[in-house]
Amino acid sequence: NLRVLHLAIRDQSVYAGISSIAPLMRYFERIEAVDVPFPKLYELNIDGIWDATTSSNRFESQHTSGLILQTRLINVGLRRLSALDAAAVGSIPLLASLQRCISTLQQLHLTRASGLSSEIMQVLAQDTTHMSNSSPLSLTSLDLSGCVGASAHSLWMVVRRCPNLVHVNLSQTAADNSVLSCLTEFVDLADNDGLQVVILDTTDITGAAARDFAAACDRRFRRLRRDGFGALESGWRLRLFDMDNCTGIGSDAVSVVRDLLSAMGTRVSANSDRRQQEASEDNFEDENDDYEYDVEEYYVVASMPYRALDKAAE
């Protein structure tokens, strides 16, 4: 009857307490390989389990990583999967794991997964349960940051099937204007909860696409107010739009985006624009101080959808 399982070993204190997970590991060893140990499991956190450094330095991590794949912990019906720093998992087991649950997942946080290739993304984007390829996925939170093996087109193929996204983080990926244009279309939809956090730093998006996205958010916000809601009473606003280190976005585009999103109080992060201004003033020390402050605030804002999802799950 287990429904929530956290095996994350990112905290060093977990390593010291290997005996605490030993009973669970012994249980896995006793069951048949074809069995699903927890058929009602809907949330699984394995942050750090698939990390390359962890796997090479910790015997218990190597053992646990194998058990996750062999015992089908990632099973059909899983709704929330978090696997941060998943650099050590290969393409074949990763595909086998994700194919079991992609149709039911509401949250997928899979970062730095070098095994997440374009081919895998294309397979996940295919609708295997319906006759039409347009059937949407249930994902509301998607974090594939640092997954450099997936092409822009394969990212677009997956994103286009996720119209209900609230939180999306595709930083340090090949995401380009096609992906952002798809998110823009979602903002214009009237029958979804609306994007609240969009993190696209160090991607190939350009100023034109960023302006179109901001304009769509402004239209949605004004439409909700026009339909009888107060300033923020509609329950929706774009909280964060991160465009840091996007070389295709100039200062003029950043200014337009800030203006369009100012009414709803969106936090716009675009350090490329800020650094250009500060470089012209030869004030690099102030630049570094401001950047550290922005990073701290960035994580405070970006964590908000996670808390909202936690409350929804409860």
Side-chain angles (χ1 to χ4, degrees):
N1 293 324
L2 187 67
R3 298 173 184 268
V4 177
L5 178 60
H6 284 208
L7 285 175
I9 55 173
R10 299 172 65 83
D11 191 333
Q12 292 294 327
S13 62
V14 177
Y15 295 133
I18 178 61
S19 59
S20 62
I21 62 173
L24 180 62
M25 295 169 68
R26 285 196 293 270
Y27 167 73
F28 287 156
E29 290 173 341
R30 289 198 304 268
I31 63 176
E32 295 293 335
V34 295
D35 292 341
V36 177
F38 306 118
K40 296 183 178 180
L41 190 70
Y42 73 84
E43 178 177 336
L44 177 63
N45 185 317
I46 51 174
D47 291 349
I49 294 289
W50 285 337
D51 179 69
T53 303
T54 302
S55 298
S56 62
N57 294 339
R58 302 287 177 176
F59 168 78
E60 64 269 27
S61 175
Q62 292 179 345
H63 194 31
T64 307
S65 178
L67 287 171
I68 288 172
L69 301 173
Q70 295 169 14
T71 60
R72 301 173 65 90
L73 274 182
I74 302 177
N75 62 303
V76 176
L78 197 68
R79 286 185 290 175
R80 303 181 66 180
L81 173 62
S82 183
L84 305 186
D85 296 326
V89 63
S91 298
I92 294 177
L94 184 59
L95 175 60
S97 299
L98 292 178
Q99 274 189 304
R100 299 171 190 158
C101 60
I102 189 64
S103 62
T104 58
L105 278 180
Q106 297 173 6
Q107 171 185 301
L108 174 60
H109 296 169
L110 180 68
T111 67
R112 294 179 58 242
S114 56
L116 188 65
S117 63
S118 298
E119 292 74 18
I120 290 180
M121 294 290 287
Q122 291 170 6
V123 171
L124 296 179
Q126 297 174 1
D127 186 350
T128 59
T129 59
H130 300 79
M131 295 299 293
S132 173
N133 285 336
S134 62
S135 178
L137 296 173
S138 301
L139 284 169
T140 59
S141 184
L142 178 65
D143 185 350
L144 299 178
S145 56
C147 294
V148 297
S151 66
H153 181 68
S154 65
L155 289 169
W156 170 81
M157 290 181 66
V158 170
V159 169
R160 69 171 179 165
R161 290 194 58 200
C162 306
N164 298 311
L165 284 173
V166 175
H167 172 282
V168 58
N169 185 347
L170 298 176
S171 61
Q172 301 179 45
T173 68
D176 60 7
N177 286 348
S178 66
V179 174
L180 186 53
S181 296
C182 187
L183 296 176
T184 301
E185 294 176 9
F186 294 161
V187 172
D188 280 327
L189 296 176
D191 57 349
N192 61 16
D193 292 334
L195 287 158
Q196 293 185 25
V197 170
V198 176
I199 305 174
L200 294 172
D201 70 270
T202 321
T203 60
D204 293 328
I205 63 173
T206 66
R211 290 194 299 267
D212 291 343
F213 175 73
C217 292
D218 181 59
R219 288 195 301 270
R220 182 187 180 105
F221 187 73
R222 294 180 184 278
R223 182 179 70 248
L224 291 172
R225 291 204 301 179
R226 185 179 63 247
D227 292 343
F229 295 103
L232 296 177
E233 294 176 5
S234 66
W236 177 85
R237 69 183 179 95
L238 182 67
R239 298 177 180 273
L240 172 66
F241 185 26
D242 189 336
M243 305 177 291
D244 280 349
N245 303 313
C246 293
T247 58
I249 300 179
S251 57
D252 291 343
V254 172
S255 298
V256 173
V257 169
R258 292 188 192 279
D259 289 342
L260 287 168
L261 300 179
S262 60
M264 68 186 81
T266 301
R267 168 78 167 87
V268 178
S269 185
N271 67 357
S272 59
D273 172 56
R274 181 173 63 253
R275 289 180 175 181
Q276 289 174 8
Q277 294 176 356
E278 292 171 348
S280 65
E281 299 171 359
D282 295 325
N283 194 354
F284 293 103
E285 292 183 359
D286 290 342
E287 170 196 344
N288 293 331
D289 292 340
D290 290 343
Y291 182 71
E292 291 176 0
Y293 174 80
D294 285 343
V295 169
E296 180 180 356
E297 185 179 357
Y298 158 92
Y299 281 111
V300 171
V301 178
S303 65
M304 298 179 74
Y306 293 82
R307 293 198 296 270
L309 285 169
D310 290 339
K311 291 180 180 179
E314 293 175 356

